[in-house]
Each structure stands twice: as C-alpha cells, then as structure tokens.
Amino acid sequence: MDLYMMNCELLATCSALGYLEGDIYHREPDCLESVKDLIRYLRHEDDTRDIRQQLGAAQILQNDLLPIITQHGQDKALFDACIRLMVNLTQPALLCFGKIPDDPTFRHHFLQVVSYLQAYKEAFASEKVFGVLSETLYNLLQLDWEARQEEDNLLIERIILLVRNVLHVPADPYEEKNVDDDASVHDKLLWAVHLSGFDDLLKFLACAQTEQQWSMHVLEVISLMFRDQDPEVLANAGQTRSAQQKQKDAQELEALRAKEQAEKHCRSMQRGSRHSRFRGSYVVEGLKSIGEKDVIFHQGLHNFKNYSHDVGKAVRRVPKRKQMAKDTETKRRSALNVRLFLREFCMDFLENCYNHLMYLVKENLLREQAQQHDETYYLWALNFFMAFNRLNGFQPDLVSETLSIRAFHFIEKNITNYYEMMLTDRKEATSWSRRMHLALKAYQELLMTLSEMDRSKDESVRQSSNVIKSNIFYMMEYREIFLTLLRKFDERTQPRSFLRDLVESTHLFLRMLERFCKGRNNLMVQKKRVKRKKKNRKKQTVQENTPEALEEAWQVVSQDLRAASFQIPSSLTEGAVPFDAASDTPLEEQRTEAMVRIQDALIGRQGPEALSLLRAARDVWPEGDVFGAADVEPDEELDLLKQVLFANLPRSTAPEMAMEEEDEIEEEEEEELESVRVSETEFNFLDFIKRFASPNIVRPYVLLLRSYSQNTPHTNHCVARMLHRVAVDLKMEALLFQLSVFCLFNKILADPAAMAYKELVTFAKYVLNRFFATAAKNNKAYVELLFWKNVGAVREMTEGYSKDGDGANKKARWTEEEEEELRRLYEEHKDSGVPDIVETLLPLLSNTNRTRRQVVAQMVVMGLVDSVKDLKKPKKGTRIVLWTEEQEEELQMLFEEHSNSDDILGNIMKRLTAKRSRARVMDKLLSLGLVGDRKELYKKRRRQAPGKSGGMTEEEFFADLSGAPREDDLERGDDEEEDDEFSDEEEEGESEKEQEVERRVSPTQNKKRRSKGSSGERNVNLENMVRSLQQEGLSGPLLWLQNRLNKTADDRGDQGASHAVALVPLTEENEDAMENRGFQKLLKKVGIRPPANEQETFWRIPATMSIYQLRTAAESLCPPAEPAAGVEEQGEQSESPEPQDEATSHEHRAQALRALLLARNRKRPSEDTAESPSADPASANVEEWGAGEARNGGKRSRALDSDDENDEDPSSKMEVGNETGAGDSDSEKHSAPAKRRRHRVLSDDEED
C-alpha cells in the first residue's frame, strides 16, 4: 500500500474515533475498532516511522485518546485498547530507530518523533489524566492474587510502562529556557503524579510482598522521576541554613568578589589613564616573523601578552574520533513545592521500601532475569538514595541492604566489565563510558557512607565500618581499581566529569586507607600473582643409540631385575596400561607402540617399568606369543627384553606431533584459567603511593587541573594533594618537570585571582624552585622539560646520567629514524582492529632483524602503550565468550542426560562441541538456573552399599530402608549453609559447652565419639524443648514456625527449585519469640540457619533442606499428647526444662543398649545363646556391650569414626534406640516395621 492510500485510511480511521465538543468528547460507534486499527497500522510502519509521525502531527493523543480514557474509562475494552495504543505512541524514539541515525534524512525523522513525544509529555501533565490512571491501578491492586486475571496483570504493566515512557521524554532545551526554581514540564508532570496519589502506589508496589514482579519497572520509574535532581539540594529543601553553610556561602561569595576586583585592577593597570584613539604599531625585537625581520605588532601594548603566531590562521579541524568527550550531566533546581514533595518521597521510600526493593532487583540481576543494562538503574538508585540518606540525618540501617562487601564486589565487577566492553565495542564506547561513570559514582558513594559511619557517635556503627574497611583494604581488587582507571583514562571517550569523580574518589580512598594504617603496625593484605607455567619448547634432539650405550644400559637393567628377583611393585603393575580401548588407533599400531614404550623404558634404564609393560602387553595380546608365552620363565623374560632393546623398531613421529598439538590446544583453552597464587603480605602505605608516581597517572591530574577556574575548591584540593604526595612525600618533584605543566603553573601564577587558589600557587612555586635548583646542577634540565619522564629518567635527571653500555644487559639501540618509523606505523594501524598489532608491524619495519620482544619494549619506552600486557598475544581459548542459542540448548541437553551421573561436569566437558574451560561451563550452568550451587557439579564419591563393612550405622541403614535422607547428607547441607567467617558469639559459646560435655564422657564413649547420638534421644530432647516453650506461652510462635516449614515444603514441591527463605516475624509475639534464647536453640535444632553476618537480619530456612526434612521438622514441633508406656518415665523427666545431667543421660544410654541386646539374643541360635555369659538381657551392662562391639571387628569402629566429621542433625525423624524402661522389650510401643528392620540388621551383622 502506497503512502497516499495509507494517509487516506489513517484519516478515515481517526475520524471514526469521535470528536471533542467543548470539554465533552463524543465517541463514535466504531471507536473501539478504530483504536485497534491504529494499533495495527503502527505494527506495519516503515523505517521512517511515518504512521507515528502522522498521528503525532494530527495530535490524536491530545485530542482523542486522553479525553476517551478520562471520560469513557468505564468501558474496560476501550480503555485497555487506548492504553495499548498510548504505550506504543509514547515509546522512546531511540527504541524506535535503534540508535541515533547518522544519515541526515533519518536524523530529521528522529528529531521529528522526539518533538511529538515532547508534546505528548506536556499533554500528560494533567491531574485529571493521572487521576484516572491512579484510580484504575488502585482498583487492580485491590484484587487478591488468586482473583486477578491475566488481563489485569497486563493492564497493570501497561499503565506502569505508559508512565515510564512519558517520564522518559527528554526536555526541549530551546523551549524550556527556565531558570532554577521555575517549574518545567517535567516538574508539572511530577506535580500531577503527586496530586493524583500515583507516587503512593509506586511505594506500595516497591514494598508489597505480593507485587515483587514489578520491582524492575518501579525502580525504572523512580529513577526517571528524580532525573536531573541533586540529592544535596533535595536534602536541604525547606531547611534553614546552618551557620556552617552560611559561612561557606559567604566565603565563596567573597572569593568571587576578590576575583572580580583583581581582574578589574589588572585591566586598569594595562592601559594608561588617557585614552588614545590610535593603537599604534610596535616592533617586537628578538621575535622573528615569516621572513628575517622582527615581528610588527599592530595592537595596544596591553594586548601583547595574548599574541600568538596562530592568530588569523584557519582553525584545524579535529577528527571526530579524536575529539574530547562532552559532559552530558545536567543539574537543575526544581520548584520549591516539587522539591518538598520529592524530599518526602525519598524519606518514605528509604524507611519502607529501599532495602526490600534493592534486594529484589539485585536477585533479578544476579539470576539474569532482567533486561540488558538494567543494572544501571540499580547503580543509580544506590548512589542517589545513599547520598540522600547521608545528607539527611544519616541512618545506616535504612540502607543496610547495599552497605556490604557484596555491594562493593558487584560494583567492582561491573566496572571491570564496562572497561572491557569499552575496548572491544569501539562504536559504543561512549555508552559504556556512561555506564562506567554510574558505577564509579556508586562506588564513591559507598566510600563516602563509610567515611560518615566513622564519624558516628554509635560504637556499633563505627565497628561495622571498620569491618567493611578491613575487607576492602585487604582485597587487592578494591585497592587496584583506582590505579587501573587512572592509568587507562581516555579523554576521547570519558568526559571531564568522569575524571573529576575519579580523582575525588581516589583522594577519599587514600585518605581512608592512610587513617586506617596509622593505628596499626602490621597490616596484612592479600596479594595475588598470576602463576604462568612456561612450557619448555626446546626441541629434543634425537640421539642415535650406539651398541655400546645399549650394552651398558642392558647391564644395568639386568642387574636391577635380578636383584629384585623379577618382583614388580603393585603401583607399577596397576599403572602399566599398554592398550587404550577408546582410542581410534588400530590394534596392530597400538601393539607396536607398546613395544616401543618397552624399548624406551629399557633405554632409560627403568627395568621394573619395562617388565611390567611386557607382562601387561602379554595379557592383552596373548596370541602369537609376541610378548612371550603365558607360562614363561623369568630367564626367558630377560632374553625377551634384551631382544626388544636391541631391535630396530619403527618409530612414527605423527602421533607425537598430534599429541603435542592437542596439548597446545588444551593449554590455550586453559590460559583463561591461569593459576593465581594468593598470598598475604605486610602492607606499606608509602609503597602503595609509589605506584601513583607514573606519568600515565600524573597526566590525568594535570588535564583536570587545566580547568582549575571551573573546578570546585574541593576538586582543586584533591589534585593538589595527589601532586603533593608525589612531589613532596615521595621526593619525585622531577616527575612534574614538563613544559605543559610549567605553562599551566605560569597561567595560575599570572591569574589576577591567584589569591583564590593559594594552595595551587604555593605548590607551583615549590616545584619551580626545585626545578631551578636542579637546572643549576644539570645543564640538560631545560631539554628534559620537553618529555614526560618515568621513574628511571627522573633518577638520572636528579642524580646523574649513566654512561651508554653500563649494566650487564645491553639493550638494542634504536635510531631516531627507526623510532619515527615505528611511531608512524603504529599510528597507521592502531585503529585497524587487527588482533595482534605487533605481528602486523614486524614485517613492515625496515630493520627485519628486530624481534617481537625488542619492538614491544621500544613501544613501551616511547609511550605508545602503557605496559607490555597491552601487547600480549591473543589466546585462542579466550576468544570464545558468547554462547549461541544452539550451544545453550546443547548444554541443557547434556546436563539432563548426565544429571544423575557421579561427574556431571566432566561428562559435559567431554561431549561439548565448542570447547570451553570448566569455569565458563560452570558459570553458564548457574546462569541458566540448571544448578543452584557450584558444589552440585563437583565429582561425587561413591558410597558403599548399606549393610556392608563400609561403615554404616544402624540408624543410617534404617534411614535408607525408609527412604529418608541420611543424616550426614543433611548435616553436610547445613554445614555448607553455615558461614564460618561470621559466626556469632552465641554459637561459639554453645560449641564450647559441647566440647566440655564431650570431655566429660567416659573413655569408651569418648573413643567412639557419639557426636550425633541416637535419633530417639534427639527427638526426646526436641520434645522437651517444645514442651518447655509451650509452658512459657510460645505455642503461637511454634504454630507459626510449623506453618512456615510446611509452606516452604509445598512451594519447593510446586516450583522444583529451592532457595533460602527468610523467617520474617510480622507480629510482636513472633518477634519476641525470635529473640528468646530457648526458641533460637529450637530453630538451630530443626536445621534453620541464623543470620550469617551482620548484614543479615532474619533467620533463614536453608536451600539445602529437602521437602522430607522440612515436613519432618514441622511434625517434630507437635509432640505426642500421650507418651508411650515404655517411655513414660523418660517423658516425665523430659518435661522439665532443665537439661539432663551426666548420670541421667548415661542411664538412658544403658537402657537403650539393653533393649538392643535383648533383640539380638532372641534372633540367635540356641548354641549361641548357650555360649553367652548371661541369658538375661536385663543383666547386660554397657561394658559388656562395648566388648561385644570390639569383637565385632572394624566395621562398627569405622562407622563411628566416619561420624566424627558430622555434626548433630536435628531434622532426623527415625526413632532408633529409644527403648527405655524395663528390660522387657515386648512392653515397648514402637512400630512393627521399624522393629522388623532392626532385627534384620542384627541378623545380618551376626552372619557377617
């Protein structure tokens, strides 16, 4: 359909919508169908977005759609269709075109769409429109989750997206030429949001547990609401200025006034008091013009200092790729009522929503459930709201979710990723630079919050700050990040604002680190060193074995074999494998290779190895007696070995070359996992500062200092402090002996307002004085001003130059012509995109004898690259980064195929088509959600079958028979959930008590280390704890805990995946119970994990607890109303809340052992009963049973020894060994199946 027909149809469709008469909109009967037709037209628009432009020019949204939803909102179908159409019409222009077009025609269409969007935004700035949207959204949120339909969820999402699109529209700089404190279109829109109550709905969506799916949308809307806002301005809105602020403003005003007066005085001194209408002409002696004569100056003398030879010349055009990046930050102060509303919103959001919403967003980002680049909203929110909290009566508990080591790690990882993408994605380097700037500001705000915590009056807050700082300063990544960013700063892609924030963040970090080191004598930090194994590439020379050498080798081998009586160690026998069944090599070739291996072992004088290979090959190839007969004698084997040694066997080099190539490929694939050697070293702050003494780091500081007149006093102080550390503290002032630096110093000293920059003036005078003192000793100092100098050149300039040829290692010399050639070739090819620029330059050099090492070293000396690491050879293995859809499907299929094997990851690695490292595959399995923890991919050890002598207790065997999980598995999962680094004092106290109890046990019991105890004893203890808590009036919290365990089990059964679930008490009764010591012991007893560190608040149900464990723990919280007759006496004793003493526990153990002996004696044959020392089981004591166990062999002892590594698991349900009371076991009330299983185990033990 051509464009003209489309215009006619659009006109007809828009006319069928209705018409506006005054303030009343009359819709046509076909209004709904017309709206759907417009949606259909937009779906088929061309690349110029013609339909969108025509609808924008006709003002369909302002004149038709908005009146329809405000006056005919009761028609649900029409309302839904209008919302869909408006979401499509208001989507950002950047999303419509993909990127800002470079073509002038498409750029015009792009700007036209933006102008229509700005008109839409102005139309939406109405309380009536947002009132309808807020009311509709409120009614939808009132519905319960079960009663909410799919259409309702879609409408909620579309309303949020519509508000997001409208807020996203950029301001028109030509139309909105408003000053601060004046209302812009964005301010009017925010005020309409506030009056309609839509902001309250946003806060509800951010904190509601049932609305977690909208977390990313809500955070995006909030970030767009606070666009162009300054947290400091919002925090001070409506507040009276303090005396300190008034003094600061007065000082700034006085500095500006002094600067103005100085400039005025300077202008008055430049010209005489009498005005001359003739400027005159002057000859400048000593300054040559184009010819041989002096320059003639045709201006006034007061303008001579601005004279330059470049005056009047055409300005040289700078290529676009070399232009400096421009700042895109815009800050403006909104109207006072808008600022007050936003301030109240920030305070409510921090108190009720911030921690919850940031946790949800972080989980979505880590699980890769968000869209691309959504982490930027997280970084912005972290920076903005933490800054507002710091400036508005700092309360660290309001931002506790993002005030942790994990937040530092998340930001550091994103900064590294953004920097790598800046290098690889050159076309989008500016976008990646903006994202890195967001991450840097978030990192800076974390540091400023820590600095604020250090000044807190609360001791616990200061202690928490010290804990976080100790971890940050200990890890090398957090210390090196500022060095890396300064060294890699590129003014073409990173704006001046990024450099300012980077310099200020570095200043703050160094100040905190210096204060942290002052009170500590020996500060240990982590040090990582990449350990690269250099493979020996020397070609092995093939030595021809002479008969004399072979005879000498045979004498040694034969003597060794006779001395050993032809006996081979078992280790050699097991390691001799002459045949590979999985190899594609034919059997005949493998037999020849086995013969060659035997000959090589003999030549190497390894007699036992050769003999073991011979015997192993004889077993594999018995036919033909090639390796001897089956009943060969030792002397015949010796003769056979001699024949093999002196034989001329065919040797093929192809397999060896293939194996070498495979080894090289494997090595290249594993390069990305180079072993990192982690060690600890004593930290020296001065040594750390020495790393900043480099021209690559000083250059960015000098670049920022050039705009000293626009910088804030704090920024100039940060620059001066760093240069002072280098020049004064490190005594390396010669590093600043550079002509551009001196020109900048001259500008500062000649500035009329120099008094406003006293710190810079003082420092400039100090450096200049040191230079003139050096120039008096070194006559080449003025020439050195032309170059940036490294540490070695600085030392030579101040201490004296070394003679050429000094030193043991003489470097290859480069002439000036060769250096110029290398620089020219590098400039030509550095942007060509070749993977290895050194390999490209080597054949182009005139001197073909230059090696790669020499070229790389010279490029570093000349400053073309920063370090040798920038020119490393690209590794083949590191080129595979992205996963295609086919590779992800293949990985999922392989995981499902081998999910039940013992080595899941190993089997997947063998069968992957695109070879990758184990770490890459493991990370991808985690990101796809196929596994929840890396430990699930570790190779599993095979356990021995139940009932055999592999060491399994009777309790474990009963658990296996009943299908219940074994206790050591449960305890291993619990142990993995525990964080040993942040264990609280209460757990340490309890562990000390348990150790004291274990030391008091009898020697026999101490030898067996019954750390787990029987399940019956644990259940009795658990019942005692439950009854005592019920007597204390905690029945309600116990019922709440039981319901939470059952609900978690149901959720894990439905979803199939599990994660740690926090126990959040919502009532005062439950909160008091969670602080009860007895209730906390019960939580630990059933397997619930306490807060891992100071950053966590709630107890959590571990992710490793299975559904069976959860239901078992829930059932254990309801003790039986009537205890069994056999345990009546024990039940009465367990009702007391006091713990049992040593005698009582010993008595219960003896009773349980008597019951076990009774069951065993009944199953024995009569002759065994006659031989037993006592037929009455009641007379058996603990010592006799222990002796019987000792005679039973090593099986039981191994089982008990294996239990030493496990802790007590409170979630086990099996009741074994819980027999109490008299010796008659018939009176015990236990289930028959359990008793039959127990008898079967005892009989199996006797048969063994």
Side-chain angles (χ1 to χ4, degrees), residues 803-922:
K803 297 181 180 179
D804 295 338
D806 289 352
N809 299 324
K810 296 183 180 179
K811 296 183 179 179
R813 287 192 174 188
W814 288 70
T815 62
E816 293 182 2
E817 293 79 8
E818 290 177 339
E819 290 181 355
E820 185 62 27
E821 179 188 24
L822 179 61
R823 182 179 286 104
R824 177 178 55 80
L825 292 174
Y826 177 77
E827 293 293 334
E828 291 177 358
H829 295 84
K830 69 176 181 179
D831 296 326
S832 60
V834 294
D836 190 359
I837 190 172
V838 180
E839 293 295 329
T840 307
L841 299 182
L842 278 174
L844 301 178
L845 292 174
S846 58
N847 187 356
T848 57
N849 296 327
R850 296 291 184 189
T851 63
R852 178 186 178 91
R853 185 186 298 273
Q854 293 174 351
V855 173
V856 170
Q858 186 64 23
M859 291 173 70
V860 174
V861 171
M862 295 171 61
L864 300 179
V865 293
D866 295 330
S867 66
V868 180
K869 296 181 180 179
D870 297 340
L871 299 175
K872 289 178 62 177
K873 285 187 178 180
K875 307 300 181 185
K876 295 181 181 179
T878 58
R879 309 293 285 182
I880 305 177
V881 178
L882 301 178
W883 290 73
T884 62
E885 295 183 0
E886 294 79 5
Q887 293 172 352
E888 290 182 356
E889 293 176 359
E890 179 192 12
L891 182 61
Q892 293 179 0
M893 182 184 65
L894 290 174
F895 177 79
E896 294 173 357
E897 181 180 351
H898 302 286
S899 59
N900 297 326
S901 63
D902 293 339
D903 189 6
I904 301 175
L905 189 59
N907 293 327
I908 293 177
M909 293 292 296
K910 293 177 183 177
R911 292 164 177 80
L912 266 182
T913 306
K915 298 300 181 182
R916 300 173 187 267
S917 64
R918 298 176 68 91
R920 297 279 188 191
V921 176
M922 193 177 296

Side-chain angles (χ1 to χ4, degrees), residues 7 62 103 167 280 298 323 389-390 434 546 603 696 759 766 787 810 819 842 894 952 955 973 999 1061 1077 1103 1113 1156:
N7 288 335
Q62 296 95 316
D103 184 76
L167 289 170
H298 297 283
Q323 292 179 359
N389 178 57
R390 176 174 53 84
R434 293 197 195 102
T546 60
I603 293 174
N696 296 328
E759 190 175 17
Y766 169 79
F787 310 100
K810 296 183 180 179
E819 290 181 355
L842 278 174
L894 290 174
M952 176 180 289
E955 295 86 348
R999 285 196 295 268
V1061 179
R1077 296 289 293 273
L1156 282 175

Side-chain angles (χ1 to χ4, degrees), residues 343-624:
R343 181 174 181 272
E344 293 296 328
F345 183 90
C346 287
M347 295 172 62
D348 294 342
F349 183 79
L350 282 171
E351 290 179 2
N352 304 312
C353 313
Y354 178 81
N355 288 330
H356 177 70
L357 182 63
M358 296 298 278
Y359 173 78
L360 295 177
V361 173
K362 182 76 169 294
E363 287 294 318
N364 291 335
L365 293 175
L366 295 179
R367 297 174 183 270
E368 297 185 0
Q369 295 177 354
Q371 295 182 359
Q372 196 174 17
H373 309 315
D374 274 353
E375 73 277 358
T376 55
Y377 298 110
Y378 178 86
L379 296 173
W380 173 89
L382 187 148
N383 172 41
F384 187 89
F385 287 106
M386 290 189 72
F388 181 85
N389 178 57
R390 176 174 53 84
L391 298 168
N392 186 46
F394 178 62
Q395 300 181 39
D397 55 322
L398 298 182
V399 292
S400 58
E401 176 60 35
T402 54
L403 193 58
S404 61
I405 302 298
R406 291 172 294 177
F408 278 94
H409 173 69
F410 179 78
I411 297 174
E412 186 269 337
K413 185 175 65 173
N414 278 280
I415 290 177
T416 305
N417 180 43
Y418 293 151
Y419 173 71
E420 292 176 354
M421 294 306 298
M422 279 180 59
L423 298 180
T424 55
D425 191 2
R426 291 285 186 180
K427 294 182 179 180
E428 297 295 330
T430 306
S431 300
W432 290 111
S433 171
R434 293 197 195 102
R435 299 184 186 106
M436 194 200 302
H437 193 184
L438 270 177
L440 176 64
K441 289 197 290 188
Y443 200 94
Q444 180 185 15
E445 185 53 45
L446 284 176
L447 292 177
M448 296 178 73
T449 304
L450 286 179
S451 179
E452 188 70 23
M453 291 173 66
D454 288 338
R455 294 191 291 269
S456 176
K457 298 180 181 179
D458 191 353
E459 178 64 27
S460 60
V461 174
R462 295 198 300 271
Q463 184 64 28
S464 300
S465 173
N466 286 330
V467 171
I468 297 177
K469 287 193 298 183
S470 62
N471 284 275
I472 295 172
F473 299 149
Y474 177 79
M475 299 295 293
M476 190 182 73
E477 292 83 357
Y478 304 133
R479 300 194 309 270
E480 302 288 329
I481 185 171
F482 296 109
L483 277 166
T484 304
L485 293 179
L486 285 169
R487 192 181 297 116
K488 303 297 183 181
F489 175 76
D490 187 3
E491 59 181 356
R492 296 173 299 176
T493 57
Q494 295 168 320
R496 192 68 60 90
S497 57
F498 175 85
L499 180 58
R500 182 191 66 239
D501 291 332
L502 177 58
V503 168
E504 292 179 358
S505 303
T506 306
H507 172 77
L508 177 61
F509 183 82
L510 291 178
R511 188 180 63 183
M512 294 172 59
L513 181 58
E514 186 176 15
R515 292 178 180 175
F516 190 81
C517 295
K518 279 185 178 179
R520 294 166 176 81
N521 295 328
N522 298 320
L523 178 62
M524 303 301 294
V525 296
Q526 188 185 75
K527 181 181 180 181
K528 292 183 180 180
R529 179 176 297 175
V530 180
K531 183 181 179 183
R532 299 181 180 88
K533 296 182 179 179
K534 294 185 178 180
K535 197 169 183 179
N536 190 8
R537 299 294 183 180
K538 294 181 180 179
K539 296 182 179 179
Q540 297 179 356
T541 58
V542 181
Q543 298 179 357
E544 295 183 0
N545 297 309
T546 60
E548 293 79 7
L550 294 177
E551 187 65 33
E552 183 180 355
W554 174 248
Q555 295 295 334
V556 176
V557 169
S558 59
Q559 292 177 3
D560 292 342
L561 291 177
R562 286 193 174 93
S565 301
F566 297 94
Q567 299 296 326
I568 304 174
S570 58
S571 59
L572 292 179
T573 306
E574 296 174 356
V577 181
F579 171 70
D580 186 4
S583 176
D584 297 332
T585 308
L587 294 178
E588 295 296 330
E589 295 183 10
Q590 290 199 38
R591 186 171 62 181
T592 306
E593 291 176 4
M595 193 76 72
V596 171
R597 288 174 59 191
I598 296 173
Q599 188 182 54
D600 291 339
L602 291 172
I603 293 174
R605 302 183 181 184
Q606 299 174 354
E609 288 82 353
L611 185 58
S612 63
L613 277 173
L614 179 68
R615 292 177 179 176
R618 183 190 307 146
D619 296 337
V620 175
W621 294 284
E623 62 276 359

Side-chain angles (χ1 to χ4, degrees), residues 620-635:
V620 175
W621 294 284
E623 62 276 359
D625 295 341
V626 178
F627 297 96
D631 53 351
V632 65
E633 296 294 333
D635 293 337

